[in-house]
Amino acid sequence: MSEQSPPTDTSTPSAHVPRRLGGIAIDWAMCLLISSAFFPDPTYATSGATSVERAFLAGAPFATLAVWALQHLLLVATLGSTIGHRIAGLRVVREDGASVVGITKAAIRTGLLVLVIPAVVWGPDGRGLHDRLAGTRIVRTGGQA
């Protein structure tokens, strides 16, 4: 059974916002766990915190952001999707139809996502400003929006 190749033409509509938010929530939760395990925040008050709170919230905030940015950059540049994207059925594709997003476009996209504002400014086609400036689009892996 072969896997379908993702759509890459500009006529493919962008994935809906709830699906994209689900993917980023999965990625962020994983990065919170990594940050808490490897980069604990010495100012985090563990007394009175549940084990779940400690697991997700004890990491240094900038370390969490750095882990998120690094995984996003590397996975989108090479595979076209983060783990959260993959679980949500999403893939980042280039507007020019190239098969790999590449480090430059992934770096532009990741840098703008870290700034947040470009990610919440959408055009009529549902693409964020970060995708427009990077020349990318996020689509469902099945080809539907």
Side-chain angles (χ1 to χ4, degrees):
M1 181 163 128
S2 67
E3 187 175 318
Q4 272 187 334
S5 63
T8 57
D9 65 40
T10 56
S11 65
T12 303
S14 296
H16 290 300
V17 173
R19 186 175 288 269
R20 296 189 317 221
L21 290 175
I24 200 167
I26 292 165
D27 286 333
W28 192 255
M30 289 187 321
C31 292
L32 284 169
L33 289 170
I34 292 167
S35 177
S36 292
F38 296 103
F39 308 102
D41 183 354
T43 63
Y44 181 75
T46 57
S47 62
T50 67
S51 58
V52 172
E53 289 172 331
R54 282 194 303 273
F56 282 99
L57 304 177
F62 284 113
T64 305
L65 183 61
V67 168
W68 179 87
L70 183 62
Q71 68 89 24
H72 192 274
L73 172 66
L74 294 176
L75 293 177
V76 168
T78 58
L79 303 175
S81 63
T82 65
I83 295 167
H85 288 152
R86 179 87 35 136
I87 292 169
L90 301 172
R91 179 172 174 85
V92 179
V93 296
R94 287 175 53 148
E95 283 289 296
D96 62 9
S99 61
V100 178
V101 174
I103 196 75
T104 303
K105 291 194 178 288
I108 293 167
R109 189 175 193 280
T110 301
L112 291 169
L113 281 170
V114 167
L115 296 175
V116 178
I117 298 299
V120 297
V121 176
W122 298 308
D125 62 352
R127 287 175 61 211
L129 184 58
H130 64 291
D131 275 327
R132 288 181 179 279
L133 294 173
T136 58
R137 164 184 308 275
I138 190 162
V139 297
R140 288 204 33 198
T141 54
Q144 298 172 329

